[in-house]
Amino acid sequence: MTDKNTLQSTVGFSERTIAGFALTLSGFIGFMGIITAEVLYPNYSTQQDISDLGSTRPPNPVSFEPSATIFNTTMLVTGLLVILSAYLLYRVADRRGFPLALAVFGFGAFGVGVFPGNVTPWHGLFAMLTFFAGGITVVLSSRVVPRPFSFLCGLFGGVSLVVLLSVLFYGIVVGGPSPLQFLSAGGIERWVVYPLIIWLPAFGGYLLAAADESAGRPAS
């Protein structure tokens, strides 16, 4: 009996089903956790960085409870669920590049929770890892799903990467403000992050439906 069959016989669900459930749950936790931390953060504005919910950056870092604990825990749980999904998909995937990228995405999110904004340079490094790996993962997912869902995956990942790269290009190469500066730092970051969070339950739902169909049951 193979490891795959052993897992399915033990828990009653396939790797694809569990991965889809975990990704859907990770998107829900990530989105609702951020919203909850925002509500409980005194005078918080969406013009601020999302990571300010965990802690602002030095030299005078500030954090507020329970927002900091909620945000950091949200990133830890979200990252772990994504890593779990990546492992399960790696076991059954024909193309291994996508689950490997997904694992790096989850690892980056987990690192953001471990190292809040006041922990430099690690927080910034893990945040950038999350942004880049997340965008690449979502773009790669367009190669493993049918149309028209593949178009949405390409759109979500493409928007996230284009916004991120444009800001880096203007900041490093041009040495001036990005044309998106009117959105503020928090608005720009949300254009990078939210397409990735939206993709998590979307792709998770696809996996759940695909697993249901492969088991010979119509998706409801």
Side-chain angles (χ1 to χ4, degrees):
M1 181 177 292
T2 65
D3 291 339
K4 298 176 184 178
N5 291 333
T6 300
L7 178 61
Q8 185 162 355
S9 64
T10 301
V11 301
F13 299 103
S14 68
E15 284 90 343
R16 187 181 294 270
T17 299
I18 300 172
F21 182 87
L23 284 179
T24 302
L25 185 61
S26 72
F28 173 79
I29 291 175
F31 187 70
M32 298 307 297
I34 290 174
I35 289 178
T36 304
E38 288 174 346
V39 170
L40 298 176
Y41 191 105
N43 301 315
Y44 183 78
S45 169
T46 52
Q47 293 184 341
Q48 295 178 239
D49 291 341
I50 298 175
S51 294
D52 284 357
L53 296 168
S55 174
T56 59
R57 288 172 289 185
N60 299 305
V62 176
S63 63
F64 294 98
E65 294 293 352
S67 293
T69 297
I70 292 172
F71 176 76
N72 294 330
T73 302
T74 294
M75 293 297 101
L76 291 173
V77 174
T78 299
L80 285 175
L81 287 171
V82 173
I83 292 171
L84 171 63
S85 301
Y87 167 72
L88 294 172
L89 291 176
Y90 185 84
R91 288 163 55 93
V92 298
D94 294 327
R95 296 180 178 180
R96 298 295 179 86
F98 166 68
L100 287 175
L102 182 64
V104 176
F105 177 28
F107 177 70
F110 184 82
V112 169
V114 173
F115 303 106
N118 61 315
V119 183
T120 57
W122 298 108
H123 177 80
L125 294 175
F126 276 100
M128 292 303 297
L129 179 64
T130 304
F131 298 158
F132 273 112
I136 292 171
T137 298
V138 178
V139 170
L140 287 177
S141 72
S142 66
R143 303 177 58 189
V144 299
V145 299
R147 298 177 182 178
F149 186 38
S150 62
F151 295 140
L152 286 177
C153 293
L155 175 65
F156 292 166
V159 167
S160 179
L161 285 175
V162 166
V163 172
L164 176 62
L165 291 173
S166 68
V167 172
L168 293 177
F169 175 78
Y170 276 91
I172 298 175
V173 178
V174 177
S178 165
L180 299 175
Q181 198 63 38
F182 69 92
L183 292 172
S184 74
I188 293 173
E189 186 178 19
R190 282 164 173 79
W191 270 91
V192 174
V193 173
Y194 281 175
L196 308 180
I197 295 179
I198 292 171
W199 172 84
L200 288 170
F203 192 81
Y206 162 79
L207 291 176
L208 288 171
D212 202 28
E213 291 174 354
S214 66
R217 297 184 297 271
S220 56

